[in-house]
Amino acid sequence: DRAYDARSLRDELAARRIKAVIPPNPTRKHPHRYDKTAYKGRNVIERMFCRLKDFRRIATRYDKRADIFLSAILLAAAITWWIN
């Protein structure tokens, strides 16, 4: 995530009224502040998507209909929750 700590990206997010929760690169001369709680929440969501992509059917979008694809995601989420 620290690799995306570019001024141009931060300006783009600010123009869209999106709050950036990117931690500063350690080599930055003037590091900026960021919300650590929001960053932890973002990390949890990223890990959830990685777990869902472990299921081949979801990663390759095997199901073309949206309702069947959603049911596959819900089933994979339930299995992941049950295992953990």
Side-chain angles (χ1 to χ4, degrees), residues 1 5 8 12-13 19 22 39 42 45-46 51-52 57 61 65 69 73 75:
D1 288 344
D5 183 30
S8 60
E12 177 77 25
L13 292 174
K19 182 179 177 185
I22 305 166
Y39 181 70
R42 181 178 171 270
I45 293 170
E46 278 188 28
R51 277 193 212 109
L52 286 177
R57 178 179 209 116
R61 183 77 195 255
R65 286 183 36 196
F69 184 65
I73 289 175
L75 183 61

Side-chain angles (χ1 to χ4, degrees), residues 14-79:
R16 294 182 181 187
R17 293 183 166 167
I18 299 172
K19 182 179 177 185
V21 291
I22 305 166
N25 194 328
T27 60
R28 224 179 224 278
K29 289 183 182 179
H30 304 290
H32 56 273
R33 298 171 62 190
Y34 70 102
D35 187 2
K36 292 181 182 182
T37 307
Y39 181 70
K40 286 181 183 179
R42 181 178 171 270
N43 189 0
V44 169
I45 293 170
E46 278 188 28
R47 286 185 289 160
M48 184 263 316
F49 277 109
C50 286
R51 277 193 212 109
L52 286 177
K53 287 183 179 180
D54 287 341
F55 292 85
R56 181 174 161 244
R57 178 179 209 116
I58 294 171
T60 59
R61 183 77 195 255
Y62 185 75
D63 301 310
K64 298 302 177 195
R65 286 183 36 196
D67 57 340
I68 296 174
F69 184 65
L70 176 62
S71 64
I73 289 175
L74 295 176
L75 183 61
I79 290 170

